[in-house]
Structure formats: structure tokens, C-alpha cells
Amino acid sequence: MSNDLNPQEKLLPTPVDEKLISGPARPNSSAIKLYNKAMTLANNLWWSWHPEVVNMFQTLDPVRWRQLAHNPIALLKEYTPERFEKRVLELVFNTKFDQAYRRLMEYISDRPLWAKQNAGVLGAHPVAYFSLEFGLHESVPIYSGGLGILAGDHIKSASGLGVPIVAVGLFYDQGYFKQRLNARGEQEEEYIETKVEYVPLETAMDKDGNKITVSVDTAKGPIYARVRKMKVGRVELYLLDTDIEENSPEDRKLTGTLYGGDRRTRIRQEIVCGIGGVKALRALGITPGVYHLNEGHNSFATLEVIRGKMEDDGKSFETALREVAQQTVFTTHTPVEAGHDYFDADLIEEHLGPLRMKLGLSRDQFMELGRKNPLDQNEKFCMTILGLKLSRYANAVSSLHGKVTRHMWRDLWPQKEEEEIPIGHITNGVHVPTWMAWQMQVLFERHIPGWTEESINPDVWAQVYKIDPGELWETHDVLKTLLIDFARRRIMRQLRRNKFSEEEIDQVKNILDPQTLTIGFARRFATYKRATLIMQDLEWLSRIVNDTKRPVQFVFAGKAHPADIPGKRFIQQIMEICHEERFTNRIVFLEDYDINVARHMVQGVDVWLNNPRRPLEASGTSGQKAVLNGVLNLSILDGWWAEAYDGTNGFAIGNGNNHVYDAITDERDRISLMEVLENEVIPMYYDVDEHGLPQRWIRFMMNSIATLAWRFSAHRMVADYARHAYLPAAGGLSAKMP
Ligand SMILES: *Cc1c(COP(=O)(O)O)cnc(C)c1O
């Protein structure tokens, strides 16, 4: 849904005349009913993946919609019910709002077929899905990047398939930072207080109708958290928030920002989310059948479940541990050692001491749960190791990442061969309706009626070949134009803020050309992602960018972690290149990469470039979003692309081999990237028939959609989790992950 820019915007009626709307104030029950229906829609994130509902909100007031970061609650709060009704009637939207409301009500009350057939066992004992971040929509800033968006897509697809899941996370008052690039091209971080009243939150209540506050004991006293609730289709997401009076000023800020603060902040966030999360579910009267830990951050949850079993059922620690492990699914996402959470023994004792005593463990016994070598007193406590030890179902997020992960943690199973190590893989996927442009969805609906209901079925996607090539190309063209408009508007805003001259700002209208092959690169600026790989030879770059017949242009975006100095230097380097005369208007960097920027980019470029140093990309999902929109991937054979690429559905950089020296690998990949671009990508893109259509390219677009869209959808991913992990974990069966 490209909902930032509506091509029909200009055709909209002018805003309502104030004189017309401020008539005599009288309570109007039809207005109130309509307004409440709209608010109900706005309070379930279901709206965000239903383009027709998005478009309704947007059409109410396109300018305010954009200014309010596409937040329907904020928008509705600008209307009284009477004014709202007037506006809706004027747009002849009243039936549409009614229909949307009815569809939501039906959606919530209905249990889809897939779940009836495949997930019945989970019925009354849902999967509890723990994640430190959830990326659901740009108006709900409780995510930083890939991990959060994966969690968001996971629960949206669980909702779609009807897999019973309750999700648990933290509510951040400020979220992750907003990125500003100053006149020198440096990243500046800005933290903005979220207006809680604009977030679709409710206060979670226990069965007696009381507000829920949970507490987590530390050696220095308890930390309290209130429990909030967010509706994501059929799924309830519970978010813990420590900003309450009961806490010290320090602890009130604990859930302020995502991945801010020091190790102490981090462990406190993790006990609140993990341990506090389990307590919250208990207070809600929810008894999960399965615990799914998205990354090691929440591994402490398992210990609280064990404590519960010991206290309530009088079980021994060992018995309770075995039972909990049987119920626990653990997903690891990080192929880099430093990316895993480690805590010193002192921090562990301060924060887990009270729980440790209730579990009847000595300090050493407790530390062993998070150590590779139980006897090594110097080893820190690793959250991933705790997760691996306390789960019977552990998985990596792509086939290659599975191999890397088994190798990484082989010491935990000294008696096993590496292939036998019980860590499988389930490759990540993306939520199709969230990431596929509505224009594409409309095109699909026209040629493949009912495709959304069956988006997990390869045969449905194979029908993409029925779509007229010219129509597919035209739709892609529309999306490209929308991206270019978006880029110009964003860059104009950035230049204004940085006090560039009007003359320079005026130049922005020449930025990017709709006829030119456009390559997108957007990701976290971690150095292993090698954002500047294509910029090592600027002579060459200038030649391909300024080629008169077959030019190329680039759109970059991405944030560097505030503490990542080399990552920030990469951004500045690219910004400097953008400002060189030979690259002006042809290489641009969009600031503040978030879900909104990502959506525009993965829908509007021609090629999605990804060149990480293999095998450090666990999976990657942005390229999967590109697939849904007919954008071709040009990528290192790493993560998901290593199992996706078949020679006819995109382009590969390198041959999947690494040299022992990084510098040599980098050099080989750089040369391969240049060659593939010059010899394959550019010629194919500009090879057009007499109607101006690049037939070979369009064939690749169709191949990409047909072979990849279903495999790398979040529906397929959640179905795999259900079959290979959730059901066996709930039923006490043993199953082997693929
Ligand atoms: C999809 C997405 C990511 C993750 O993409 P990668 O391919 O893993 O880099 C990160 N940030 C945003 C905003 C996204 O939409």
C-alpha cells in the first residue's frame, strides 16, 4: 500500500467549509455511531493491511494524513463526530465505512480454514510469542528494524491463518531514534516522545476487570510494569510499560528507548519483557501451550515458567525444566558472535538473584545455564545459550544461517557431529498484504481472482504469467513515479531544514529520472553490509551513472546505530558522493529509513541491491518485499537469496564462495557486482521491443514472483512454525525441523 501519495489527490474536493460544519451543536446519534465505527477500525491494526481502508482514511484529509505519519487515531481526533459525518457524507464514504467495519467484525469472529485444519490442538492454549520489538506500522514506533518487522509480519500472518498466538513485548515511550542528516551529511539522532493517546492501546484488564500491574524482583527491589494491549487483527499484543508512579525515576525510563542505555538497562528491559511478560499472561488468565522466543532477549521467560510449575504443581526444578523446554521454541537471528547478549555474573545476580533462589539454584548452577563451558568461571551469561538449553525446538532463519548457527554453537553438543546438532531452520518471510503495493494487488485480483485467500499456494502465484506484460510494466511504472515523488519531497524537506538556498531546493525537482534504471539499497548501516561496495571505483560509477544511452541511478537509505561510528562514516561517505557534481540528482540518500520509506523503496525501484559479506546476513527480508512488487534482486548468495536464486528470477553477485581474507572477498565481490551490473542487469533492462517493453526483464519479474512470492511469504513461514514447532511442542510430540 503506497499510501503516502495518492495519484488522485488533485481530484479531491477541497476541504469542508468551516461555516458548513460548525452549525448548531446537537448530539447526533448517527454521527456518533459512524465516528465510533471509524475509531474501532483505527484501533485494530487490521486497517493497515487493507488498502481500501487505508485509502479511506487518507482521502479524509491527504495532507493531514501525511503530516500525522499515517495515524488514523490522530486524524480522527481532529474531527468531532458531526464534522466527521459531514466529511464522510461529502465523500460518499458512509457505506464504505460501514462495510469496512462489518468486514473487521467478521474477520475477528471467524476462524479461518487453515487453522481449523492445522492448528486445532493449540485451541485454548495459544502460542506466546515474545519479542523485544514489533514493527507493525510507521505510526506505532516500537521497532528499530528487521527483527521487529519480522515479528510484526509473524503475528499478522498468524492472524491471517488463524493460528492462536498472543504476543508479548515492551511499549517504548520514544521508540528508536529518528534520523536526520545535517548539511555535512552526518547522522543526527532525534528521540521523539510518542503521544500515547494516538497509539491504538488499551489498558489490559484481569478477569475481574482490574488493571494489571506486574512486578519483577531484583536484589535491589522490584520493578513494576503496567500491561497495555494492542489489537493486530485476531492477535492480541501485550506491551509492558514501566513508566508508572510505582517506579523510581530511573526505572520509569527503562522502557523509554529501544536498544538505548547500557548493559544494566538492557538486562532490566529483558527481565521486564521476559519474566514480567509471563506474569502478565498469568494475570490475564492465559495459559500458553507453547512459548516462542524471537531471539535470545526473552530467554528469561522460560525461568519464570519453570518457577510457576515448581510453585503451583510442586515439581522439581529438573522436571519443570524438561517440561518447559518441551514447550519452548527458540529462534536465533544473529550469525555474529558480538550480536548476542552477554551479561556479567554481577548483573545476573542483581537481577535474577531472587528468582534463582526460588528455583533452588546456587549462583554457579544458575550461571551454567548461560555458559558454553559450565566450568569456566570467566564466561559471561549468554542469553542465546539459555535459549538453546531451554528449548526443544531451536531454529535459524535460513538454510545457510542454519549451518552457520550449528557451527557457532557446536561446543554445546560436544558429543554430536555438526550436522546432528538440533538446530534447524525456518526461512523468514514477509506479510504479503503489508508489503505488496495496492496497485499490484488490484492487478493480481483482476487476473487471478481470489489469490489473496490462497497466497500460500504456489499454483496461484504461477498464474502471474497470465498478466499482460504491458500492464505489469505500467503498474511498476506508476510505483516508480510515486517513489520519485516521495524522494523529491523528502529531500526538499531535508534541504529546507538544513537551510540550503531556494535555488538549490528548486533543483530537487530534477532529482531522479523515471526512465532510468533505478537501484535501491536500504538497510541498517552495519559495516558488514558494505553499503559503499559499489562506490570503490568512482570513475567507473560515474561512467555507468552518466551513460547517455543506458544510465543508472541509485536510492540509498538506512540508519547506523548511534554507537556505530564506522557505520555512520559510511553514511557520510555516501552523502559526500551524492553532492559531487557528477552524481547530483542520480545518487540520493533518503533520511530516516522506517516502514514508510521501506515501503516506497521496495515498491518503486527496479533493482534491489544487497551486498553483505557472506554469511553474515542471517536471512534478510527487504528483498522478499521487493519480489512482491516485481522488483528484481541483485544480491550476494547469502541468507534467503542463497536458496532463492535460480538464474532466471534475479541476479547473483559472486559464486557463493568466500576467501579466508575478508579484504580479498570484498574485492572479488566488488568486481563481480560491477560485472553483473554491466553485463547482465543494464543490458537486459534497456533491451526493449518495438512497444518500448523490456520483454526479457518482464519475464524475470514474473519468474521472480512465480517462484518466490509464496515461498518467502510470512504465511508460509508461520505455517512452517505451526507444523514443525508449535504443534509438536504443544502436543508433546517430537519432530525434526527441516
Ligand atoms: C524490511 C525492513 C528491514 C529488514 O530488511 P533487511 O533485508 O533485513 O535489511 C529493516 N528495516 C525496515 C524499515 C524494513 O522495512
Coordinates of all heavy atoms in Angstrom, one line a residue, residues 126-130 166 168 274 277-278 281-282 286-294 298 301-302 304-306 309 323-331 390-391 393 726 729-730:
P126 N -2.8 -21.0 23.6 CA -2.1 -20.3 22.5 C -0.6 -20.4 22.6 O 0.0 -20.7 23.6 CB -2.6 -18.9 22.6 CG -2.9 -18.7 24.0 CD -3.4 -20.0 24.5
V127 N 0.0 -20.0 21.5 CA 1.5 -19.8 21.4 C 1.7 -18.4 22.0 O 1.1 -17.4 21.6 CB 2.0 -19.8 20.0 CG1 3.5 -19.5 19.9 CG2 1.6 -21.1 19.3
A128 N 2.6 -18.3 23.0 CA 3.0 -16.9 23.5 C 4.3 -16.5 22.7 O 5.3 -17.2 22.9 CB 3.3 -17.0 25.0
Y129 N 4.2 -15.5 22.0 CA 5.3 -15.1 21.1 C 6.0 -13.8 21.7 O 5.4 -12.8 21.8 CB 4.8 -14.8 19.7 CG 5.8 -14.4 18.7 CD1 6.4 -15.3 17.9 CD2 6.1 -13.0 18.5 CE1 7.3 -15.0 16.9 CE2 7.0 -12.7 17.5 CZ 7.6 -13.6 16.7 OH 8.5 -13.3 15.8
F130 N 7.2 -14.0 22.2 CA 7.9 -12.9 22.8 C 8.9 -12.2 21.9 O 9.8 -12.9 21.3 CB 8.7 -13.5 24.0 CG 7.9 -13.8 25.2 CD1 7.1 -15.0 25.2 CD2 7.9 -13.0 26.4 CE1 6.4 -15.3 26.3 CE2 7.1 -13.4 27.5 CZ 6.4 -14.5 27.4
V166 N -0.7 -15.2 21.3 CA -0.7 -13.9 22.0 C 0.8 -13.4 21.9 O 1.7 -14.2 22.1 CB -1.1 -14.0 23.4 CG1 -2.6 -14.3 23.5 CG2 -0.4 -15.1 24.2
V168 N 3.9 -10.8 23.1 CA 4.4 -10.0 24.3 C 5.6 -9.2 23.9 O 6.5 -9.7 23.3 CB 4.7 -11.0 25.5 CG1 5.2 -10.2 26.7 CG2 3.6 -11.9 25.8
G274 N 10.6 -10.5 29.6 CA 10.6 -12.0 29.7 C 9.8 -12.4 30.9 O 8.7 -13.1 30.8
G277 N 6.5 -10.5 31.3 CA 5.6 -10.9 30.3 C 4.9 -12.2 30.7 O 3.7 -12.3 30.5
V278 N 5.6 -13.2 31.3 CA 5.0 -14.4 31.7 C 4.0 -14.1 32.8 O 2.9 -14.7 32.9 CB 6.1 -15.4 32.2 CG1 5.4 -16.7 32.8 CG2 6.9 -15.9 31.0
L281 N 0.8 -12.6 31.4 CA -0.1 -13.6 30.8 C -0.9 -14.4 31.9 O -2.1 -14.6 31.8 CB 0.7 -14.6 29.9 CG 1.3 -14.0 28.7 CD1 2.1 -15.1 27.9 CD2 0.3 -13.5 27.7
R282 N -0.2 -14.7 33.0 CA -0.8 -15.4 34.1 C -2.0 -14.5 34.6 O -3.1 -15.0 34.9 CB 0.2 -15.6 35.2 CG 0.1 -16.9 35.9 CD 1.2 -17.1 36.9 NE 2.4 -17.8 36.3 CZ 3.6 -17.5 36.6 NH1 3.9 -16.5 37.5 NH2 4.6 -18.2 36.1
I286 N -4.3 -16.4 30.9 CA -3.9 -17.1 29.7 C -2.8 -18.1 30.0 O -1.8 -17.8 30.7 CB -3.3 -16.1 28.6 CG1 -4.3 -15.1 28.2 CG2 -2.7 -16.9 27.4 CD1 -3.8 -14.0 27.3
T287 N -3.1 -19.4 29.7 CA -2.1 -20.4 29.9 C -1.5 -20.9 28.5 O -2.2 -21.7 27.8 CB -2.7 -21.6 30.6 OG1 -3.5 -21.2 31.7 CG2 -1.6 -22.6 31.1
P288 N -0.4 -20.4 28.1 CA 0.1 -20.8 26.8 C 0.5 -22.2 26.7 O 0.9 -22.9 27.7 CB 1.4 -19.9 26.7 CG 1.3 -18.8 27.7 CD 0.5 -19.4 28.8
G289 N 0.3 -22.8 25.5 CA 0.7 -24.2 25.3 C 2.1 -24.2 24.8 O 2.8 -25.2 24.9
V290 N 2.6 -23.1 24.2 CA 3.9 -23.0 23.6 C 4.5 -21.6 23.9 O 3.7 -20.7 23.9 CB 3.8 -23.2 22.0 CG1 5.2 -23.1 21.4 CG2 3.2 -24.6 21.7
Y291 N 5.8 -21.6 24.1 CA 6.5 -20.3 24.2 C 7.4 -20.2 23.0 O 8.2 -21.1 22.8 CB 7.2 -20.2 25.5 CG 6.3 -20.2 26.7 CD1 5.9 -21.5 27.3 CD2 5.8 -19.1 27.3 CE1 5.0 -21.5 28.3 CE2 4.9 -19.1 28.4 CZ 4.5 -20.3 28.9 OH 3.6 -20.3 29.9
H292 N 7.3 -19.1 22.3 CA 8.2 -18.9 21.2 C 9.0 -17.6 21.5 O 8.5 -16.5 21.6 CB 7.4 -18.7 19.9 CG 8.3 -18.6 18.7 ND1 7.7 -18.5 17.4 CD2 9.6 -18.5 18.5 CE1 8.7 -18.4 16.5 NE2 9.9 -18.4 17.2
L293 N 10.3 -17.8 21.6 CA 11.2 -16.7 21.9 C 11.9 -16.2 20.6 O 12.6 -16.9 20.0 CB 12.3 -17.2 22.9 CG 11.8 -17.9 24.1 CD1 13.0 -18.5 24.9 CD2 11.0 -17.1 25.0
N294 N 11.5 -15.0 20.2 CA 12.1 -14.4 19.0 C 13.4 -13.7 19.4 O 13.4 -12.6 19.8 CB 11.1 -13.4 18.4 CG 11.6 -12.8 17.0 OD1 12.1 -13.6 16.2 ND2 11.4 -11.6 16.8
N298 N 14.6 -12.7 25.2 CA 13.5 -13.0 26.1 C 13.7 -14.4 26.8 O 12.7 -14.9 27.4 CB 12.1 -13.0 25.4 CG 11.7 -11.6 25.1 OD1 11.5 -10.8 26.1 ND2 11.7 -11.2 23.9
A301 N 12.2 -15.6 30.1 CA 10.8 -16.0 30.3 C 10.7 -17.5 30.7 O 9.9 -17.8 31.6 CB 10.0 -15.8 29.0
T302 N 11.5 -18.3 30.2 CA 11.5 -19.8 30.5 C 11.7 -20.0 32.0 O 11.0 -20.9 32.5 CB 12.6 -20.5 29.7 OG1 13.8 -20.0 30.0 CG2 12.3 -20.5 28.2
E304 N 10.8 -18.1 34.5 CA 9.6 -17.8 35.3 C 8.6 -18.9 35.0 O 7.8 -19.2 36.0 CB 9.1 -16.4 34.8 CG 7.8 -16.0 35.4 CD 7.8 -15.9 36.9 OE1 8.8 -15.8 37.6 OE2 6.6 -16.0 37.5
V305 N 8.5 -19.4 33.9 CA 7.5 -20.5 33.6 C 7.9 -21.7 34.5 O 7.1 -22.4 35.1 CB 7.5 -20.9 32.1 CG1 6.4 -22.0 31.9 CG2 7.2 -19.7 31.3
I306 N 9.2 -22.0 34.6 CA 9.7 -23.1 35.4 C 9.3 -22.8 36.9 O 8.8 -23.7 37.6 CB 11.2 -23.3 35.3 CG1 11.6 -23.8 33.9 CG2 11.8 -24.2 36.4 CD1 13.1 -23.9 33.7
K309 N 5.7 -23.6 37.6 CA 5.4 -25.1 37.7 C 5.9 -25.6 39.0 O 5.3 -26.5 39.5 CB 6.1 -25.8 36.5 CG 5.4 -25.7 35.2 CD 6.0 -26.6 34.1 CE 5.6 -26.3 32.7 NZ 4.3 -26.9 32.4
E323 N 9.9 -30.0 31.1 CA 8.6 -29.7 30.6 C 8.6 -28.4 29.8 O 8.0 -28.3 28.8 CB 7.5 -29.7 31.7 CG 7.2 -31.0 32.2 CD 6.1 -30.9 33.3 OE1 5.4 -29.8 33.5 OE2 5.9 -31.9 34.0
V324 N 9.2 -27.4 30.4 CA 9.2 -26.1 29.8 C 10.0 -26.2 28.4 O 9.6 -25.6 27.4 CB 9.8 -25.0 30.7 CG1 10.0 -23.7 30.0 CG2 8.9 -24.8 31.9
A325 N 11.1 -26.9 28.4 CA 11.9 -27.0 27.2 C 11.1 -27.6 26.1 O 11.1 -27.2 24.9 CB 13.2 -27.8 27.5
Q326 N 10.3 -28.6 26.5 CA 9.4 -29.3 25.5 C 8.4 -28.3 24.9 O 8.0 -28.5 23.8 CB 8.7 -30.5 26.3 CG 7.6 -31.1 25.5 CD 8.1 -31.7 24.2 OE1 9.1 -32.3 24.1 NE2 7.3 -31.4 23.1
Q327 N 8.1 -27.3 25.7 CA 7.1 -26.4 25.2 C 7.7 -25.1 24.5 O 6.9 -24.2 24.1 CB 6.3 -25.8 26.4 CG 5.3 -26.7 27.0 CD 4.6 -25.9 28.1 OE1 5.2 -25.7 29.2 NE2 3.4 -25.4 27.9
T328 N 9.0 -25.1 24.5 CA 9.6 -23.8 24.0 C 10.3 -23.9 22.6 O 11.0 -24.8 22.3 CB 10.7 -23.4 25.1 OG1 10.0 -23.2 26.3 CG2 11.3 -22.0 24.7
V329 N 10.0 -22.9 21.8 CA 10.6 -22.7 20.5 C 11.5 -21.5 20.6 O 11.1 -20.4 21.0 CB 9.5 -22.5 19.5 CG1 10.1 -22.3 18.1 CG2 8.4 -23.6 19.5
F330 N 12.7 -21.7 20.1 CA 13.7 -20.6 20.2 C 14.2 -20.3 18.8 O 14.7 -21.2 18.1 CB 14.8 -21.0 21.1 CG 15.9 -20.0 21.2 CD1 15.7 -18.7 21.6 CD2 17.2 -20.3 20.7 CE1 16.8 -17.7 21.7 CE2 18.2 -19.4 20.7 CZ 18.0 -18.1 21.2
T331 N 14.1 -19.0 18.4 CA 14.6 -18.6 17.1 C 15.8 -17.7 17.3 O 15.7 -16.7 17.9 CB 13.5 -17.9 16.3 OG1 12.4 -18.8 16.2 CG2 14.0 -17.6 14.9
L390 N 17.2 -24.2 26.9 CA 15.8 -24.3 27.5 C 14.7 -24.5 26.4 O 13.6 -24.3 26.7 CB 15.5 -23.1 28.4 CG 16.1 -23.3 29.7 CD1 16.1 -22.1 30.6 CD2 15.4 -24.5 30.5
S391 N 15.1 -24.9 25.2 CA 14.1 -25.1 24.2 C 14.4 -26.4 23.5 O 15.5 -26.8 23.2 CB 14.2 -24.0 23.1 OG 15.4 -23.9 22.5
Y393 N 13.0 -26.9 20.5 CA 12.8 -26.6 19.1 C 13.6 -25.3 18.9 O 13.1 -24.2 19.2 CB 11.4 -26.4 18.7 CG 10.6 -27.7 19.1 CD1 10.0 -27.8 20.3 CD2 10.5 -28.7 18.2 CE1 9.3 -29.0 20.7 CE2 9.9 -29.9 18.5 CZ 9.3 -30.0 19.8 OH 8.6 -31.2 20.1
Y726 N 5.3 -25.5 16.6 CA 4.2 -25.3 17.6 C 3.4 -26.5 17.9 O 3.2 -26.9 19.1 CB 3.2 -24.2 17.1 CG 3.8 -22.8 16.9 CD1 3.2 -21.9 16.0 CD2 5.0 -22.5 17.5 CE1 3.7 -20.6 15.8 CE2 5.6 -21.2 17.3 CZ 4.9 -20.3 16.4 OH 5.4 -19.0 16.2
A729 N 5.4 -29.1 19.8 CA 5.7 -28.6 21.2 C 4.5 -28.6 22.1 O 4.5 -28.9 23.2 CB 6.2 -27.1 21.1
A730 N 3.3 -28.3 21.5 CA 2.1 -28.3 22.2 C 1.6 -29.8 22.6 O 1.1 -30.0 23.6 CB 1.0 -27.6 21.5

